[in-house]
Amino acid sequence: MKVLKIATAGSVDDGKSTLIGRILYDTKSLTDDKLEAIEEKSRQRGFDYLDFSLATDGLVAEREQGITIDVAHIYFSTPSKSFIIADTPGHIEYTRNMVTGASTAQASIVLIDARNGVVEQTYRHFFINNLLRIKDVVIAVNKMDLVDFSEEKFNAIKGEIEYLASKSEYKGQNLTFIPLSALKGDNVVDKSDNMDWYQGETLMHHLERLDADDINDESQTRFPVQTVIRPKTEEYHDYRGYAGKIYGGDIEVGDEVAVLPSLTTSKVKSINFFDKEYQKAKRGSSVTITLEDNVNVSRGDMLVKVAEQPTIAKQLDATICWMDKEPLQASQRYYIKHGVNDAQAKITQLKSIIKTDFSGVEENPSELELNQIGDIQLKLSKPLSFDAYKDNKSNGSFILINPKTNNTVGVGFIK
Amino acid sequence: MSKETIQVDALESEAIFIFREVVAQFEKPVLLFSGGKDSITLVRLAQKAFYPAKIPFPLMHIDTGHNFPETIEFRDRLVEELGVELIVRNVQDNIDSGRVKEETGRYASRNMLQTETLLDAIEEFGFDACIGGARRDEEKARAKERIFSVRDDFGQWDEKNQRPEVFDMLNGRIDLGQNVRVFPISNWTELDVWSYIEQEEIEIPSIYFAHKRKTFVRDGMIWSADDAVVYRDEEEEVVERMVRFRTVGDMSCTAAVLSDAVDIVKVVEEIRDSSISERGARIDDKRSEAAMEKRKQQGYF
């Protein structure tokens, strides 16, 4: 069955967890024992409604404070599709967790409290959705019951977001606006009786219609080698299989391939998956490939089709989202992980901080703080084979790791 | 030999990708094998990830001594077929030496005691990556966990400060003494696992299928009365029922469900229509709302 990954975003108290709880409830995805637990806890806390956020806020600290700290992954299915929802935190200090949840999503829901309209976090979340180039974005205007289901309020918010979208560099996005009440259930799964002026689909109806494709759009074929399989048994004495996952496009037996970064060429001899051989493998498949010639291939190398080569360089320009308390400064050194390839990287230039309200940039800053987004230039200890993020998500992104703490401190999008 | 086009399913492809990252990034990985359906699924995925080579790491079973006998027989047969190394460490040894104290009474379970034995074994062998079959859909604290989850010397999970995990890039860098818990089937649901077992025709222990068993009822749950390890009051009446187990944990905390699903096709149907969650039959999760999170902070799987 097709799996659609959706990320939610929104400011604190916009009702993300409540919305997810409502979806689970209305699609009858909450099992009896889980529902009973929510009913009991809601009663204990003196609520006169079911607090659905109890279904997703899995950490003690989250339930104490009534906020979401880290991404929860929620699974449910309808007859046509399986869904994975990443319930991401709204607080600004947990933006990195929001990026974590959104990075693998095909679609995103940005919640807005109809009473407050577009707020600072809305700008930021909308900006990150654009930076990640998430194709389908739903602007869910929530708590419509608290503004008398006002069409005017809804249209004002819609206008503001459309204005932001017009300033975004990413033009391939499908924006959908839905007025709803997660608490009361209006336009979530069932159509609302309170908003006759809204002719569009309910949220679930819309999500059911979306394509559940790989987040990595079709582009040029990239096969980063994870590990070399050498069984060294009698039967497979000379077997050298290159294990990895195919991104971008398909691979077929007989394809002429280049091994990067060495540029040695060979031909695909066989494509194996478990105990079978195949003529062709589609993108997204983890397979094992053997080559006609005995060439030197190891982890971190990449197989590409001879006519479709990426950039091979020891330097790159990128936009980076900073995720660590210790700020990024020019001239610092980090480990870079580009797909399955590792190198060292030095920040040669911190060019600018990008304002997430689409109002421009701050040139030549001294540092980039936690949750800020900026443009940098990196020098690398060895050549990497990369594409621009806009052309190939998997081969155009990387993470930086602090060598002192081993923590992942930034995620980069190559220009 | 088939000469067709292949599209590996997204969840299967992701799991295989994760297995290969573990072997590339760590020096001493181990697969934690309980004999349950999730760890059996892991074994199949590991086979696929490295074929035609053998699975390049050992399996380890932390044996509570309260396993269903069917599970142990199954384990030993599987290991022999695959030709992989099996390490067994017993909770009983720690009880005998007085390092841990066994719970007593109605709800006594050895589930918590596994943690100590697991941490000892990690230290004994110097494992830097422990692969497990936990899934995010099982429980809401698990829903928060990363695929590569870093643990310190005490096995503790720092849930408020997890590393960001973006796209499919997995950061396995750790300091000496730390280890990583790896969850290749994080994104699978219970139904995904059962459907995979059906599709791949994977053999699983017989207790997963409906069978006649002597049982008694307590707090609305059905317990096995066949085995001395499950505490039973005199007045709790023993009745033979048609049951199966949805999870195969420690016998003392794993309840049965009424079922007539005698084969895999019927089990998949039953799971699809079920209105009770899988861990609804695990008494260890019912202790408190935060039971799983607390166990994880202390190093539990």
Side-chain angles (χ1 to χ4, degrees):
Chain A
M1 189 145 48
K2 291 274 192 182
V3 182
L4 184 74
K5 281 195 190 176
I6 305 163
T8 58
S11 195
V12 187
D13 291 335
D14 280 350
K16 287 182 304 297
S17 302
T18 307
L19 176 67
I20 292 170
R22 167 61 67 182
I23 291 174
L24 294 177
Y25 184 72
D26 283 359
T27 57
K28 301 183 174 51
S29 310
L30 280 174
T31 51
D32 292 351
D33 54 323
K34 286 183 179 163
L35 197 57
E36 271 166 33
I38 292 170
E39 281 167 357
E40 194 189 319
K41 284 283 159 194
S42 297
R43 257 200 315 275
Q44 259 178 34
R45 289 172 190 220
F47 300 149
D48 55 0
Y49 55 89
L50 293 181
D51 183 359
F52 289 122
S53 67
L54 295 168
T56 60
D57 285 339
L59 304 176
V60 173
E62 293 179 322
R63 291 192 295 273
E64 273 171 10
Q65 301 171 46
I67 59 165
T68 306
I69 292 174
D70 210 333
V71 189
H73 295 86
I74 308 205
Y75 303 78
F76 70 99
S77 48
T78 60
S80 71
K81 223 182 252 158
S82 287
F83 294 88
I84 303 178
I85 298 190
D87 180 20
T88 72
H91 273 84
I92 188 159
E93 70 228 65
Y94 304 122
T95 302
R96 59 187 181 140
N97 294 334
M98 184 246 159
V99 176
T100 293
S103 68
T104 52
Q106 294 130 328
S108 164
I109 303 172
V110 178
L111 261 92
I112 297 177
D113 185 330
R115 295 171 304 174
N116 306 332
V118 176
V119 296
E120 195 199 340
Q121 275 297 76
T122 320
Y123 288 127
R124 175 180 294 272
H125 290 152
F126 189 65
F127 185 89
I128 291 170
N129 277 324
N130 279 267
L131 183 65
L132 286 164
R133 303 177 85 84
I134 294 178
K135 213 189 299 169
D136 286 289
V137 176
V138 177
I139 306 293
V141 182
N142 191 23
K143 308 196 185 183
M144 287 301 290
D145 53 318
L146 300 180
V147 296
D148 294 328
F149 302 102
S150 157
E151 183 177 10
E152 241 170 64
K153 283 262 185 196
F154 174 75
N155 282 337
I157 291 167
K158 186 175 173 211
E160 262 191 88
I161 296 287
E162 279 170 342
Y163 175 68
L164 284 185
S166 72
K167 295 213 265 181
S168 168
E169 209 178 284
Y170 175 44
K171 298 296 177 200
Q173 193 165 63
N174 304 317
L175 267 177
T176 308
F177 296 85
I178 303 175
L180 52 87
S181 165
L183 194 67
K184 302 283 168 66
D186 295 82
N187 285 338
V188 178
V189 173
D190 302 317
K191 185 121 178 77
S192 169
D193 294 330
N194 299 308
M195 290 175 275
D196 291 339
W197 49 266
Y198 175 72
Q199 303 298 324
E201 299 164 301
T202 67
L203 179 64
M204 264 322 289
H205 193 238
H206 177 72
L207 296 177
E208 287 224 47
R209 263 193 330 108
L210 294 182
D211 277 340
D213 281 336
D214 192 351
I215 63 155
N216 298 297
D217 287 335
E218 188 158 3
S219 55
Q220 297 182 337
T221 301
R222 305 288 178 245
F223 187 78
V225 176
Q226 289 184 272
T227 181
V228 182
I229 294 174
R230 298 212 59 185
K232 293 179 184 161
T233 54
E234 238 168 71
E235 190 186 352
Y236 294 98
H237 190 74
D238 295 319
Y239 184 92
R240 287 173 71 94
Y242 305 113
K245 189 170 162 185
I246 310 169
Y247 299 90
D250 305 342
I251 289 185
E252 198 167 350
V253 172
D255 278 347
E256 274 190 69
V257 292
V259 182
L260 307 182
S262 72
L263 293 170
T264 327
T265 56
S266 184
K267 268 186 188 168
V268 175
K269 184 180 173 190
S270 72
I271 299 168
N272 305 319
F273 181 69
F274 198 25
D275 52 0
K276 290 197 175 66
E277 270 191 37
Y278 294 87
Q279 176 64 26
K280 189 173 173 181
K282 296 217 169 214
R283 70 186 159 104
S285 301
S286 285
V287 293
T288 305
I289 287 173
T290 65
L291 298 179
E292 293 282 1
D293 310 283
N294 192 4
V295 291
N296 190 355
V297 183
S298 55
R299 174 172 169 85
D301 289 347
M302 185 182 287
L303 304 183
V304 300
K305 292 181 184 171
V306 168
E308 300 180 346
Q309 300 203 7
T311 308
I312 304 173
K314 284 182 75 173
Q315 173 178 311
L316 60 85
D317 287 293
T319 300
I320 192 154
C321 174
W322 199 245
M323 299 169 144
D324 200 42
K325 286 195 191 86
E326 195 181 302
L328 172 146
Q329 288 170 332
S331 86
Q332 273 173 333
R333 283 168 203 278
Y334 299 96
Y335 293 125
I336 182 171
K337 182 177 280 293
H338 170 242
V340 302
N341 201 359
D342 294 294
Q344 290 181 65
K346 189 179 167 186
I347 313 283
T348 45
Q349 230 186 320
L350 172 56
K351 294 179 186 169
S352 60
I353 296 174
I354 304 168
K355 293 181 185 159
T356 53
D357 58 1
F358 297 90
S359 69
V361 299
E362 179 192 330
E363 304 274 3
N364 300 313
S366 59
E367 54 185 35
L368 193 66
E369 290 172 19
L370 175 68
N371 298 321
Q372 285 187 324
I373 293 164
D375 278 346
I376 56 166
Q377 187 171 66
L378 287 178
K379 201 167 102 182
L380 308 165
S381 61
K382 67 175 194 190
L384 296 182
S385 314
F386 57 82
D387 294 288
Y389 181 77
K390 67 179 170 54
D391 297 328
N392 192 315
K393 285 188 178 180
S394 68
N395 202 37
S397 52
F398 61 84
I399 55 174
L400 293 182
I401 297 165
N402 183 326
K404 288 174 290 186
T405 61
N406 290 323
N407 277 336
T408 303
V409 291
V411 53
F413 307 88
I414 300 171
K415 297 246 181 189
Chain B
M1 284 218 178
S2 162
K3 280 287 182 187
E4 297 154 15
T5 298
I6 180 165
Q7 172 76 69
V8 182
D9 175 79
L11 290 173
E12 185 177 31
S13 206
E14 176 181 73
I16 290 172
F17 176 88
I18 295 164
F19 268 114
R20 289 166 169 178
E21 281 306 288
V22 172
V23 164
Q25 292 195 37
F26 296 94
E27 289 184 8
K28 278 207 91 173
V30 66
L31 191 154
L32 297 184
F33 186 81
S34 69
K37 65 177 191 314
D38 298 309
S39 54
I40 293 167
T41 299
L42 283 184
V43 169
R44 171 57 59 90
L45 289 163
Q47 251 186 306
K48 287 195 173 189
F50 303 104
Y51 193 90
K54 274 187 191 170
I55 296 175
F57 39 76
L59 310 188
M60 179 162 76
H61 184 204
I62 302 300
D63 189 341
T64 60
H66 287 178
N67 289 287
F68 293 95
E70 293 90 335
T71 314
I72 301 295
E73 282 161 31
F74 181 88
R75 175 195 79 189
D76 293 341
R77 200 152 29 87
L78 182 72
V79 166
E80 205 185 308
E81 274 169 29
L82 294 173
V84 293
E85 186 193 351
L86 172 74
I87 298 164
V88 181
R89 284 295 173 271
N90 297 297
V91 171
Q92 188 66 47
D93 295 346
N94 271 349
I95 295 171
D96 294 346
S97 69
R99 287 198 56 191
V100 294
K101 193 165 167 288
E102 184 150 32
E103 298 175 348
T104 51
R106 289 192 93 173
Y107 297 105
S109 157
R110 286 185 170 184
N111 205 35
M112 278 295 289
L113 304 183
Q114 289 180 82
T115 301
E116 197 69 25
T117 309
L118 171 64
L119 296 181
D120 288 349
I122 289 171
E123 205 170 299
E124 179 188 347
F125 293 96
F127 292 128
D128 51 4
C130 302
I131 306 159
R135 306 186 325 267
R136 288 170 175 161
D137 85 320
E138 277 177 81
E139 200 277 335
K140 62 186 175 184
R142 284 202 161 151
K144 298 265 162 180
E145 190 145 21
R146 300 284 190 260
I147 290 170
F148 272 19
S149 184
V150 181
R151 304 298 174 96
D152 65 11
D153 290 19
F154 300 95
Q156 295 181 100
W157 178 44
D158 184 1
E159 78 288 354
K160 276 174 275 185
N161 199 20
Q162 299 193 76
R163 286 179 185 173
E165 214 159 63
V166 288
F167 300 104
D168 52 11
M169 284 176 277
L170 298 166
N171 172 8
R173 285 183 189 271
I174 48 170
D175 288 330
L176 209 63
Q178 288 182 321
N179 65 80
V180 169
R181 305 284 169 88
V182 180
F183 305 110
I185 56 169
S186 283
N187 286 325
W188 296 42
T189 62
E190 185 188 14
L191 183 58
D192 290 327
V193 171
W194 281 113
S195 304
Y196 190 70
I197 289 168
E198 182 182 16
Q199 171 203 310
E200 297 283 313
E201 298 175 358
I202 300 171
E203 201 192 330
I204 51 169
S206 54
I207 53 168
Y208 277 117
F209 301 113
H211 55 279
K212 279 193 179 138
R213 184 176 282 261
K214 287 192 177 117
T215 56
F216 66 95
V217 173
R218 175 192 303 156
D219 306 335
M221 296 209 265
I222 302 165
W223 299 91
S224 175
D226 274 346
D227 315 282
V229 299
V230 186
Y231 178 92
R232 181 171 60 84
D233 284 337
E234 283 286 312
E235 61 268 27
E236 288 172 320
E237 189 195 353
V238 175
V239 176
E240 195 177 71
R241 294 181 174 88
M242 190 75 170
V243 296
R244 65 176 206 89
F245 292 88
R246 266 175 93 174
T247 71
V248 194
D250 185 310
M251 273 192 290
S252 58
C253 65
T254 308
V257 290
L258 287 177
S259 171
D260 51 13
V262 292
D263 58 33
I264 184 71
V265 179
K266 292 213 169 74
V267 169
V268 171
E269 266 170 34
E270 188 188 283
I271 300 291
R272 194 170 277 136
D273 300 334
S274 174
S275 65
I276 296 287
S277 77
E278 178 178 17
R279 295 194 79 91
R282 290 287 286 262
I283 195 71
D284 46 334
D285 287 341
K286 296 215 161 175
R287 291 185 172 193
S288 87
E289 197 184 8
M292 174 65 88
E293 183 181 348
K294 283 187 187 144
R295 288 205 304 273
K296 287 182 98 74
Q297 283 164 354
Q298 291 158 13
Y300 180 74
F301 216 80

